[in-house]
Amino acid sequence: MQYRTLGRTGVQVSTLALGAMNFGAIGRTTQEEATALVDAALEGGVNVIDTADMYGGGESEEMVGRAIAGRRDDIVLATKAGMPMGGERNHCGGSRRWLVTALEDSLRRLGVDHVDLYQIHRWDPDTGDEETLSALTDLQRAGKIRYFGSSTFPAYRIVQAQWAAREHHLGRYVTEQPSYSILQRGIEAHVLPVAEEYGLGVLVWSPLASGWLSGAIRAGREITTSRSAFMPERFDTALPANRARLDAVERLAGVADEAGLTMIQLALGFVTAHPAVTGALVGPRTPDHLHAQLAAADTVLPADVLDAIDAIVAPGVDLAPHEKHDTPPALLDPSLRRR
């Protein structure tokens, strides 16, 4: 396992981090299975576990808490807040009212008195940066969080939040957690340069592109991954974007074979090669999945392999731009762009 410094925090983190979204109902994972995954990850050198309050309505946090009991100090523990929790209109977003409550709920579920990294799951256009940063700064000063960061923020919102922190003398986001893979490279054009400019740690999610780069999806095979069962439209090869992904996967498989690598090694080695990226989140459902991913922990792609990848998916290009999670609201809601 390789380790890198998380932005400018001084905290050393593994280049592969264990994402716990699949713990519980989402991944049909029992507590025993989740604990086994945590055990194997820690044994393999992983020291970061990332979850969120909305994963399984809090179930993931509860399972993580039980799995890490007795070894909390050896783990960089991260969670997130901001996505809706239930149907109450104020149980979401970045307001002080909600974040204070959401953190207390997360600490209770995790069975800890603090988290190392508390992340705003998505930018909340209804809440000002000063409001959110002020609440996070107070929670940090109270010792309930060590650092705070953002997740899937557009580049311009990252810049705005850094400005607001300086303008109002508040703590700042020290990390960003964007989606990034060989098939979705758009953040290379804006988010990653901004992260480098501000010295942010970057923990990327979906480096296997929801399974497209796992090696399980190939031309001529039926797609039977767990993600395809509840998001079938993302894997329907009758759609042009999915055909483009499948074509890219076939060409990438050739690159991996020629280099003597698995598709997982190629995919994880690619995202961790970018100088702005600190580490990649992997979200295994089974020990076999995890061991295949841990096998990529020390993968360093040579320049010719990186060049071959660039020739298949150009730098800064998203093969499925409609699946982006950081699209400005006005592009999604006509009422916000028309008088």
Side-chain angles (χ1 to χ4, degrees), residues 159-181:
V159 173
Q160 178 65 21
Q162 294 290 318
W163 177 88
R166 181 178 299 179
E167 177 72 9
H168 300 290
H169 307 289
L170 298 168
R172 71 183 189 98
Y173 296 127
V174 298
T175 61
E176 164 59 16
Q177 188 181 123
S179 174
Y180 182 43
S181 73

Side-chain angles (χ1 to χ4, degrees), residues 207-246:
L208 300 183
S210 297
W212 279 98
L213 298 172
S214 67
I217 298 177
R218 295 294 301 275
R221 296 182 192 170
E222 182 182 1
I223 299 177
T224 59
T225 61
S226 61
R227 196 64 64 90
S228 67
F230 63 90
M231 293 191 302
E233 71 285 352
R234 293 197 178 190
F235 299 88
D236 181 356
T237 54
L239 301 176
N242 294 333
R243 286 201 303 275
R245 281 193 279 208
L246 187 58

